Amino acid sequence: MARRKIIAGNWKMNMTPSQAVALCDTLKDLVVTDEADVVYCVPAIDIIPVVEAVKGTNVEVGAENLYFEDKGAYTGEISAEMLVDAGVKYVIIGHSERRDYFKECDCLLNKKVKQALKAGLIPILCCGESLEQREMGVTMDWIRLQIKSDLTGVTADQVKGMVIAYEPIWAIGTGKTATTEQAQEVCKGIRDCIAEIYDTDTAQAVRIQYGGSVNAGNAAELFAQPDIDGGLVGGASLKADFGKIVNYK
Ligand code: 13P
């Protein structure tokens, strides 16, 4: 069974609420497609206006983070239930910026993945190696460790509905995309890892994105690879070019 492509924008800490609504308006006609799921992962404060702005379109909304507890005294955090109630369908978990700048470890990320799934959100679980790790030849060892730890206690059926994003840290925001071969090789490695932990059906069902300097010029070649089921797009998701990435064929 062919996997449906999923092309998601990760807006990161960009776009005020009014800018967010204006961007949705600019992109509205450009991101229309029957062939892929289109998602905007937006800052928490933009969620409600963006959900409203994309109503009646093919765009779905994602969050960039969540907390793993149900509710309570966790100042500044946002729960899965709040996201669901606001109309969010996806949530990015374990982006390298959260792992690095906010010291989120795999143990925490595992709790977040389970909490998202419990609430009915689809996690977009990120993984990826640093340049030093690639040069040392430990890319796949590192990514396998991330995947195995982050998915501890997650069932095969849950994994089938998830999205995993492979984002080499050295390719994020640098304009330096992984080569198509590098991206395909690691995405296949992730699928093989899922097959080992779970089974072939689960590995064939899970969608694996590539992220890291995806743009209108390189999307078609990347997304044509057998194990790359779309992209997680940073900078280029904030402009009209995102329409070209969504309609990459
Ligand atoms: P860029 O597309 O800006 O390199 O960012 C990639 C990314 O981090 C998406 O999550």
Side-chain angles (χ1 to χ4, degrees):
M1 200 190 68
R3 289 178 297 273
R4 188 171 163 82
K5 294 273 193 266
I6 174 163
I7 299 162
N10 174 9
W11 291 9
K12 308 192 179 184
M13 197 175 76
N14 295 293
M15 299 287 137
T16 65
S18 51
Q19 290 168 340
V21 171
L23 180 60
C24 291
D25 203 40
T26 306
L27 291 178
K28 196 170 180 173
D29 296 331
L30 307 175
V31 297
V32 174
T33 177
D34 287 335
E35 297 191 22
D37 292 336
V38 180
V39 185
Y40 298 165
C41 298
V42 307
I45 199 163
D46 295 341
I47 287 171
I48 289 177
V50 168
V51 166
E52 192 57 35
V54 301
K55 236 176 218 157
T57 75
N58 60 314
V59 174
E60 286 168 320
V61 179
E64 298 178 12
N65 188 22
L66 86 172
Y67 197 54
F68 67 84
E69 295 286 2
D70 289 339
K71 60 158 85 171
Y74 304 101
T75 304
E77 294 297 324
I78 295 187
S79 74
E81 187 189 11
M82 290 170 189
L83 296 177
V84 171
D85 190 59
V88 166
K89 190 160 172 195
Y90 294 85
V91 57
I92 297 176
I93 296 176
H95 192 281
S96 62
E97 287 149 19
R98 295 221 57 93
R99 292 178 188 262
D100 288 354
Y101 304 150
F102 303 99
K103 304 288 171 257
E104 295 197 1
C105 63
D106 290 305
C107 175
L108 172 72
L109 297 173
N110 176 241
K111 289 181 185 165
K112 291 190 174 193
V113 168
K114 289 195 275 201
Q115 184 71 1
L117 290 165
K118 189 175 94 172
L121 291 165
I122 300 175
I124 300 178
L125 173 64
C126 300
C127 58
E129 82 288 4
S130 65
L131 188 58
E132 292 74 16
Q133 288 169 323
R134 176 158 285 271
E135 286 171 350
M136 286 189 293
V138 299
T139 296
M140 226 35 246
D141 303 285
W142 175 252
I143 289 173
R144 288 166 59 89
L145 188 66
Q146 290 183 318
I147 296 290
K148 283 189 172 181
S149 322
D150 299 347
L151 293 181
T152 302
V154 178
T155 69
D157 275 348
Q158 288 175 320
V159 173
K160 282 179 189 163
M162 278 182 58
V163 179
I164 296 174
Y166 165 54
E167 299 204 313
I169 297 169
W170 47 272
I172 295 176
T174 56
K176 194 177 163 195
T177 325
T179 65
T180 309
E181 292 72 28
Q182 286 170 327
Q184 161 59 22
E185 185 186 20
V186 177
C187 289
K188 180 177 185 304
I190 293 170
R191 207 176 294 289
D192 291 345
C193 176
I194 297 293
E196 263 173 57
I197 314 174
Y198 297 96
D199 49 57
T200 318
D201 278 2
T202 307
Q204 285 308 314
V206 67
R207 292 189 288 180
I208 304 177
Q209 298 174 313
Y210 167 78
S213 299
V214 173
N215 59 43
N218 59 28
E221 194 178 318
L222 286 162
F223 300 171
Q225 300 307 304
D227 289 292
I228 302 181
D229 305 317
L232 186 56
V233 184
S237 71
L238 300 171
K239 37 189 190 180
D241 259 19
F242 191 60
K244 294 192 192 135
I245 297 174
V246 166
N247 288 294
Y248 62 94
K249 276 188 190 163

